[in-house]
Amino acid sequence: MLETYFSAAKMLGHLRSGPSGPYLDGFAAALERQGYGPETAVRYLRAAAHIGHVMAEQGAGLTDVDLAAFGEHLRTCRCPRAKGGRRNHHTIYGARLFRRHLVELGLCRSAVAAAPAEPQLVADFKTWRRIRCHHQALRPRRRGPDDASSI
């Protein structure tokens, strides 16, 4: 699928040899299914390859893609193959889409799953509030001065 967007054998070899390589063909297919144009897909695929190299450089794998760390890297990026993907919104958005792709494949933890559970006090309050609102809904309404039957 990468051949749809890249024709140079050297670039294809670079993309496939990196940490993100085994997942780039599937990511390219997902981008095509979602209707992204060729220029955008190329940017996002380069960003996906770039984040793989950065995570490997930091000792993390694709199971722990850290978009904040990648954003920090982009501020001072001097990677030789970044190809203009250093400091623009396409790079971080492409990395975000690639991370989402890895989550869908079950390779990367979901950010929601990594969030801490709410404190017990908050959970108890929500339960109390739900019960209270339910009981108030069951009570008969009081008649006020606007009701016809209160005259």
Side-chain angles (χ1 to χ4, degrees):
M1 188 72 208
L2 283 178
E3 290 82 4
T4 304
Y5 302 108
F6 301 95
S7 58
K10 192 172 181 181
M11 177 55 85
L12 287 166
H14 167 71
L15 292 171
R16 289 203 169 106
S17 68
S20 302
Y23 310 103
L24 290 179
D25 280 303
F27 183 49
L31 291 172
E32 187 176 63
R33 276 193 310 274
Q34 293 169 21
Y36 286 97
E39 297 85 11
T40 304
V42 165
R43 288 184 183 118
Y44 291 175
L45 288 164
R46 285 186 176 159
H50 193 175
I51 197 169
H53 286 289
V54 171
M55 292 296 104
E57 193 176 278
Q58 294 179 355
L62 291 177
T63 57
D64 298 312
V65 172
D66 185 352
L67 292 172
F70 184 59
E72 285 299 313
H73 165 81
L74 291 176
R75 292 175 191 246
T76 58
C77 177
R78 294 288 172 250
C79 296
R81 292 199 176 247
K83 285 278 199 172
R86 292 188 179 120
R87 294 191 55 147
N88 65 47
H89 66 281
H90 292 290
T91 307
I92 197 70
Y93 191 72
R96 189 176 299 135
L97 283 177
F98 183 61
R99 185 183 184 290
R100 188 179 305 152
H101 177 71
L102 294 175
V103 168
E104 289 170 1
L105 292 176
L107 271 111
C108 190
R109 290 190 314 254
S110 172
V112 174
E118 66 183 14
Q120 188 59 43
L121 182 62
V122 174
D124 291 344
F125 174 76
K126 287 180 177 178
T127 302
W128 172 81
R129 181 83 174 132
R130 189 174 47 251
I131 291 169
R132 183 174 176 261
C133 290
H134 176 72
H135 286 294
Q136 283 182 343
L138 296 177
R139 266 200 265 158
R141 274 191 49 211
R142 293 186 186 151
R143 295 176 189 234
D146 294 337
D147 289 335
S149 61
S150 65
I151 302 177

